Amino acid sequence: MSHPFETLTPDLVLDAVESIGFLSDARVLALNSYENRVYQVGIDESEPLIAKFYRPQRWTNQAILEEHRFTFELAECEVPVVAPIVHDGASLFEHAGFRFALFPRRGGRAPEPGNLDQLYRLGQLLGRLHAVGATRPFEHREALGVQNFGQDSLATLLQGGFIPKSLLPAYESVARDLLKRVEEVYQATPHQTIRLHGDCHPGNMMCRDEMFHIVDLDDCRMGPAVQDLWMMLAGNRQDCLGQLSELMDGYSEFHDFDPRELALIEPLRALRLMHYSAWLARRWDDPAFPHSFPWFGSERYWGEQVLALREQLAALDEEPLKLF
């Protein structure tokens, strides 16, 4: 059976954009995206637009529109974010069975790992994001939790036959031990859930003209504030302590942070590791995935995953990072 995205041809992309009233110059450039399909589309006598076609059956319309509303809230509060284009009062459109949104093109470069000046400014930006995110909850988007990111991920991997038989006992054993510890730390750590970016790696915080802006809120969800912070840190423990200090100095100018949440960094890292493998497994019927991730399913990949989960299990027994 063919995958739905196989019918998303360049002509269909152009037709979709022109159905909203834009006149294209027939130039279409596929951008680096796997979960959805994203294209730069040339517009006659104007700047190109970015067209994002949502993966069928992943989000409900209500969940997508809730993402858009969150982005508009941020923009209204002057938080630099790339918001969808509104046309005739709508931001979500449909063409030939595909739901899509249009965005202005906003390029930039990712932050430099460990750059303390940039971390201070990123902290300010994330503090502003969370100040808006904390004002009300999502109603149609799931929360980040041990069940959906951990237990459900493990179930997907065990039931799908993706792990080589030679490594299956080792992976299952360490994964179950790890999830037990993650659950214990989660239960013991006081934290509040707010609206988050959800996938706040450095590639989604772009710098242009010395100003950072937020892109791609496709994975926004409810969760602890530290989820949007820990991926900004890089290097050894001592490096991370200095980086965390700069990040939180900027963050605290705009939003309060409960330092007890720092105990969730390693549990969240563990959940992200398992969720990533499960994400690849769930998308394996999409032809783009075997082509782009040919190593998935190899003994080498799963051997590295067993080692990574064992290291995470050990990290959970170490003292969490602290603010000084």
Side-chain angles (χ1 to χ4, degrees), residues 28 38 80 139 145 162 183 205-206 233 246 258 274 284 291 311:
V28 179
V38 182
E139 296 180 5
F162 294 97
E183 184 67 55
M205 310 288 284
M206 305 299 290
L233 309 178
E246 288 296 319
D258 185 346
M274 296 187 65
W284 207 243
H291 175 76
E311 290 174 346

mmCIF file of all heavy atoms in Angstrom, residues 28 38 80 139 145 162 183 205-206 233 246 258 274 284 291 311:
data_model
loop_
_atom_site.group_PDB
_atom_site.id
_atom_site.type_symbol
_atom_site.label_atom_id
_atom_site.label_comp_id
_atom_site.label_asym_id
_atom_site.label_seq_id
_atom_site.Cartn_x
_atom_site.Cartn_y
_atom_site.Cartn_z
ATOM 1 N N VAL A 28 9.625 25.082 -6.478
ATOM 2 C CA VAL A 28 9.334 24.345 -5.245
ATOM 3 C C VAL A 28 10.617 23.694 -4.750
ATOM 4 O O VAL A 28 11.285 22.982 -5.502
ATOM 5 C CB VAL A 28 8.260 23.262 -5.467
ATOM 6 C CG1 VAL A 28 7.996 22.488 -4.185
ATOM 7 C CG2 VAL A 28 6.975 23.875 -5.990
ATOM 8 N N VAL A 38 7.535 19.806 4.214
ATOM 9 C CA VAL A 38 7.668 21.256 4.209
ATOM 10 C C VAL A 38 8.396 21.691 2.942
ATOM 11 O O VAL A 38 9.427 21.107 2.588
ATOM 12 C CB VAL A 38 8.431 21.746 5.463
ATOM 13 C CG1 VAL A 38 8.524 23.265 5.484
ATOM 14 C CG2 VAL A 38 7.749 21.242 6.738
ATOM 15 N N PRO A 80 9.323 36.693 19.660
ATOM 16 C CA PRO A 80 9.678 36.441 18.262
ATOM 17 C C PRO A 80 9.464 34.984 17.866
ATOM 18 O O PRO A 80 10.185 34.089 18.299
ATOM 19 C CB PRO A 80 11.160 36.835 18.193
ATOM 20 C CG PRO A 80 11.649 36.789 19.591
ATOM 21 C CD PRO A 80 10.481 37.100 20.466
ATOM 22 N N GLU A 139 -6.040 22.208 25.562
ATOM 23 C CA GLU A 139 -7.207 21.340 25.724
ATOM 24 C C GLU A 139 -7.194 20.149 24.774
ATOM 25 O O GLU A 139 -7.800 19.118 25.055
ATOM 26 C CB GLU A 139 -8.491 22.144 25.498
ATOM 27 C CG GLU A 139 -8.708 23.251 26.520
ATOM 28 C CD GLU A 139 -9.986 24.030 26.258
ATOM 29 O OE1 GLU A 139 -10.732 23.637 25.329
ATOM 30 O OE2 GLU A 139 -10.245 25.017 26.963
ATOM 31 N N GLY A 145 4.569 12.653 29.174
ATOM 32 C CA GLY A 145 4.539 11.850 30.384
ATOM 33 C C GLY A 145 5.290 10.546 30.226
ATOM 34 O O GLY A 145 5.707 10.166 29.121
ATOM 35 N N PHE A 162 11.227 -4.742 15.735
ATOM 36 C CA PHE A 162 12.297 -3.905 15.199
ATOM 37 C C PHE A 162 13.654 -4.212 15.826
ATOM 38 O O PHE A 162 14.690 -3.941 15.227
ATOM 39 C CB PHE A 162 11.958 -2.426 15.425
ATOM 40 C CG PHE A 162 10.763 -1.959 14.651
ATOM 41 C CD1 PHE A 162 9.507 -1.905 15.245
ATOM 42 C CD2 PHE A 162 10.883 -1.592 13.326
ATOM 43 C CE1 PHE A 162 8.401 -1.483 14.528
ATOM 44 C CE2 PHE A 162 9.788 -1.164 12.606
ATOM 45 C CZ PHE A 162 8.537 -1.113 13.206
ATOM 46 N N GLU A 183 9.991 6.746 36.479
ATOM 47 C CA GLU A 183 8.704 6.919 37.153
ATOM 48 C C GLU A 183 8.917 7.314 38.614
ATOM 49 O O GLU A 183 8.212 8.198 39.135
ATOM 50 C CB GLU A 183 7.900 5.627 37.065
ATOM 51 C CG GLU A 183 6.502 5.721 37.652
ATOM 52 C CD GLU A 183 5.588 6.633 36.864
ATOM 53 O OE1 GLU A 183 5.449 6.412 35.642
ATOM 54 O OE2 GLU A 183 5.028 7.580 37.465
ATOM 55 N N MET A 205 15.654 27.095 17.466
ATOM 56 C CA MET A 205 15.862 28.452 17.991
ATOM 57 C C MET A 205 16.855 29.128 17.062
ATOM 58 O O MET A 205 18.067 28.969 17.203
ATOM 59 C CB MET A 205 16.403 28.405 19.420
ATOM 60 C CG MET A 205 15.619 27.498 20.365
ATOM 61 S SD MET A 205 14.008 28.159 20.801
ATOM 62 C CE MET A 205 14.480 29.415 21.971
ATOM 63 N N MET A 206 16.384 29.861 16.091
ATOM 64 C CA MET A 206 17.223 30.380 15.023
ATOM 65 C C MET A 206 17.606 31.834 15.256
ATOM 66 O O MET A 206 16.813 32.631 15.772
ATOM 67 C CB MET A 206 16.503 30.239 13.688
ATOM 68 C CG MET A 206 16.042 28.828 13.371
ATOM 69 S SD MET A 206 17.403 27.640 13.263
ATOM 70 C CE MET A 206 18.177 28.174 11.741
ATOM 71 N N LEU A 233 21.756 22.726 26.847
ATOM 72 C CA LEU A 233 23.015 22.467 27.536
ATOM 73 C C LEU A 233 23.835 21.430 26.786
ATOM 74 O O LEU A 233 23.289 20.482 26.216
ATOM 75 C CB LEU A 233 22.745 21.976 28.960
ATOM 76 C CG LEU A 233 21.788 22.841 29.802
ATOM 77 C CD1 LEU A 233 21.576 22.189 31.164
ATOM 78 C CD2 LEU A 233 22.311 24.257 29.952
ATOM 79 N N GLU A 246 23.863 30.793 33.111
ATOM 80 C CA GLU A 246 23.571 31.855 32.147
ATOM 81 C C GLU A 246 22.146 31.744 31.618
ATOM 82 O O GLU A 246 21.425 32.738 31.492
ATOM 83 C CB GLU A 246 24.569 31.800 30.983
ATOM 84 C CG GLU A 246 25.965 32.253 31.329
ATOM 85 C CD GLU A 246 26.018 33.725 31.720
ATOM 86 O OE1 GLU A 246 25.334 34.539 31.062
ATOM 87 O OE2 GLU A 246 26.741 34.061 32.675
ATOM 88 N N ASP A 258 11.113 26.733 39.094
ATOM 89 C CA ASP A 258 11.270 25.921 40.298
ATOM 90 C C ASP A 258 12.516 25.056 40.126
ATOM 91 O O ASP A 258 12.515 24.121 39.311
ATOM 92 C CB ASP A 258 10.036 25.048 40.498
ATOM 93 C CG ASP A 258 10.085 24.255 41.803
ATOM 94 O OD1 ASP A 258 11.173 24.170 42.411
ATOM 95 O OD2 ASP A 258 9.033 23.713 42.203
ATOM 96 N N MET A 274 14.070 6.928 24.152
ATOM 97 C CA MET A 274 13.155 5.845 23.809
ATOM 98 C C MET A 274 12.095 6.295 22.815
ATOM 99 O O MET A 274 11.724 5.558 21.892
ATOM 100 C CB MET A 274 12.504 5.299 25.090
ATOM 101 C CG MET A 274 13.507 4.660 26.035
ATOM 102 S SD MET A 274 12.726 3.854 27.450
ATOM 103 C CE MET A 274 11.838 2.550 26.633
ATOM 104 N N TRP A 284 7.953 3.838 9.894
ATOM 105 C CA TRP A 284 8.732 3.018 8.974
ATOM 106 C C TRP A 284 7.983 2.710 7.675
ATOM 107 O O TRP A 284 8.586 2.349 6.668
ATOM 108 C CB TRP A 284 9.183 1.726 9.659
ATOM 109 C CG TRP A 284 10.440 1.167 9.069
ATOM 110 C CD1 TRP A 284 10.600 -0.028 8.443
ATOM 111 C CD2 TRP A 284 11.732 1.795 9.049
ATOM 112 N NE1 TRP A 284 11.901 -0.189 8.042
ATOM 113 C CE2 TRP A 284 12.618 0.921 8.400
ATOM 114 C CE3 TRP A 284 12.206 3.027 9.508
ATOM 115 C CZ2 TRP A 284 13.969 1.227 8.207
ATOM 116 C CZ3 TRP A 284 13.546 3.331 9.325
ATOM 117 C CH2 TRP A 284 14.398 2.444 8.676
ATOM 118 N N HIS A 291 14.779 5.254 3.651
ATOM 119 C CA HIS A 291 15.787 5.907 2.815
ATOM 120 C C HIS A 291 16.725 6.775 3.641
ATOM 121 O O HIS A 291 17.947 6.805 3.401
ATOM 122 C CB HIS A 291 15.092 6.766 1.748
ATOM 123 C CG HIS A 291 16.041 7.572 0.913
ATOM 124 N ND1 HIS A 291 16.811 7.016 -0.086
ATOM 125 C CD2 HIS A 291 16.362 8.901 0.940
ATOM 126 C CE1 HIS A 291 17.563 7.957 -0.642
ATOM 127 N NE2 HIS A 291 17.297 9.113 -0.037
ATOM 128 N N GLU A 311 23.692 3.873 30.305
ATOM 129 C CA GLU A 311 24.321 5.109 30.771
ATOM 130 C C GLU A 311 23.283 6.039 31.397
ATOM 131 O O GLU A 311 23.555 6.707 32.397
ATOM 132 C CB GLU A 311 25.032 5.802 29.610
ATOM 133 C CG GLU A 311 26.272 5.055 29.128
ATOM 134 C CD GLU A 311 26.884 5.675 27.894
ATOM 135 O OE1 GLU A 311 26.204 6.525 27.247
ATOM 136 O OE2 GLU A 311 28.035 5.325 27.557
#
